[in-house]
């Protein structure tokens, strides 16, 4: 017996009922980014495994246990991208986009893959919109990234539901000195921290700060603070960022434990979090990664970026009931035609209307049917108006124009006047 075919756990279909909200969200972000001069880049979904190991870091949740890695037919080890920064940097280097200190402001969007435990807001295939900026090292650009997300939250109507958390990780030298102090402290408390953290203490001690383990968290309360080890350069940078956020009126909280899951960050790190989604509360996260390009074989190139989780933001829009009503209607006008001649005329009329009324969403009845059945379909389509074309209308070169929502009588409109009529009543609708 064949098993029912099913999608892979944690990999979701986005059904037609949901796609209008996705398109609204993606369109809002794309429009916003156009307004800031960011340009879109599209990278492949599959890359050599090595790319992620080298950029994200071997001792991270992603590389240790979340990657979808497989062997290509020729024996290459390939991985479904778990995030976008690595591939974006690879593409920038491969095509020389950051050469000669060229500034690049890039964004991308698409599916990412991580083998995690699926739950609300956490999936195995999920979608991100990410931004990466190259060759700008000042806090002004860090601030711009935050300012534009702040504007996005307003556009989406979710500004009150998100909080900005900020931290600075310092330069790699400062982090090195802090790392030593942290290792010393944690080594003295070795028996009080969980096994994972004990292991990380040896491989990547800063990641211990990120632990979800309550006992280790309790130990960390008294651990040395990264802020006390910040170098002057990072401190000035961080102050510069905070001053700009203050000037822009963007509230934030400093979270000294914010270290981010990936190895490549330096100086600024930030997360936008919400308490409206339960445990999966981070909707957008990023930071500065001045060492990454060099680590990946390029010239020293400052970089800063972030990624937002589309699923979580969509959930937030739904939770806060910030789904604009207008996006649910996908058809403006539904054309019903009765009889072979009327159907033929309807086809040409519909094409003409599509030429003449930009943006018109016109659905033509397919599969014939009685008055009753066509009107039922017209109603179900969500259209505001039905156009009716039968033998009588055909003879007079008119259509019956019937409002489907609210008041208004059916009236006949000449074909020649129809485009103008639709342009006025559909756009307002
Ligand atoms: P988390 O701590 O929740 O695992 P992360 O630090 O692994 O997040 P990033 O790699 O920074 O996440 O990804 C940026 C954003 O992408 C997250 O803030 C989140 O909104 C989203 N995201 C990450 N992993 C998932 C997932 N498995 N499912 C849905 N969204 C995700
Ligand atoms: Mg994660």
């Amino acid at each position: 017996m064949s098993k029912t075919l099913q999608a892979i756990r944690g990999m979701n279909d986005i059904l037609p009922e949901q796609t209008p909200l996705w398109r609204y969200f993606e369109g809002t972000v794309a429009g916003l980014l156009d307004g800031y001069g960011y340009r879109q880049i599209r990278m492949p979904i599959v890359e050599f495994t090595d790319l992620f190991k080298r950029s994200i870091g071997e001792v991270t949740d992603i590389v240790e246990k979340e990657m979808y890695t497989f062997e290509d037919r020729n024996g290459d080890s390939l991985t479904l991208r778990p995030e976008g920064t690595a591939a974006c940097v690879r593409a920038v280097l491969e095509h020389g986009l950051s050469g000669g200190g060229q500034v690049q402001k890039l964004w991308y969007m698409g599916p990412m893959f991580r083998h995690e435990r699926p739950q609300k807001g956490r999936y195995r295939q999920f979608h991100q919109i990410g931004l990466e900026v190259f060759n700008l090292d000042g806090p002004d650009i860090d601030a711009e990234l935050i300012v534009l997300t702040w504007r996005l939250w307003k556009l989406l109507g979710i500004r009150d539901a998100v909080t900005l958390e900020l931290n600075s990780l310092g330069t790699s030298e400062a982090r090195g000195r802090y790392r030593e102090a942290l290792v010393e402290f944690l080594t003295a408390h070795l028996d009080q921290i969980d096994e994972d953290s004990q292991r990380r203490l040896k491989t990547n001690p800063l990641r211990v700060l990120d632990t979800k383990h309550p006992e280790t968290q309790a130990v960390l309360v008294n651990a040395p603070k990264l802020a006390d080890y910040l170098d002057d350069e990072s401190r000035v940078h961080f102050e510069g960022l905070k001053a700009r956020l203050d000037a822009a009126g963007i509230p934030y909280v400093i979270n000294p434990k914010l270290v981010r899951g990936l190895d490549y960050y330096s100086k600024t790190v930030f997360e936008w979090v919400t308490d409206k989604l339960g445990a999966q509360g981070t909707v957008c996260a990023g930071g500065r990664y001045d060492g990454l390009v060099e680590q990946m074989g390029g010239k020293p190139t400052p970089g800063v970026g972030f990624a937002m989780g589309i699923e979580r933001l969509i959930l937030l829009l739904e939770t806060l009931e910030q789904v604009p009503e207008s996006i649910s209607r996908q058809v403006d006008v539904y054309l019903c035609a009765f009889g072979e001649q009327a159907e033929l005329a309807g086809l040409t009329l519909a094409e003409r209307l599509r030429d003449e009324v930009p943006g018109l969403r016109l659905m033509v009845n397919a599969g014939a049917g009685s008055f009753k059945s066509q009107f039922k379909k017209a109603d179900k389509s969500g259209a505001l108006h039905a156009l009716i074309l039968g033998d009588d209308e055909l003879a007079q070169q008119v259509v019956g124009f019937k409002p489907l929502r609210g008041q208004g009588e059916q009236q006949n409109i000449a074909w020649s006047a129809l485009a103008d009529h639709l342009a006025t009543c559909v756009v307002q609708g």
Side-chain angles (χ1 to χ4, degrees), residues 66 114 116 122:
E66 295 176 358
R114 298 183 194 177
E116 308 195 62
R122 190 176 294 286

Side-chain angles (χ1 to χ4, degrees), residues 182-197:
L182 184 67
V183 168
E184 194 178 320
F185 172 85
L186 288 173
T187 308
H189 296 80
L190 203 57
D191 52 339
Q192 291 158 268
I193 63 175
D194 63 287
E195 228 172 88
D196 227 22
S197 296

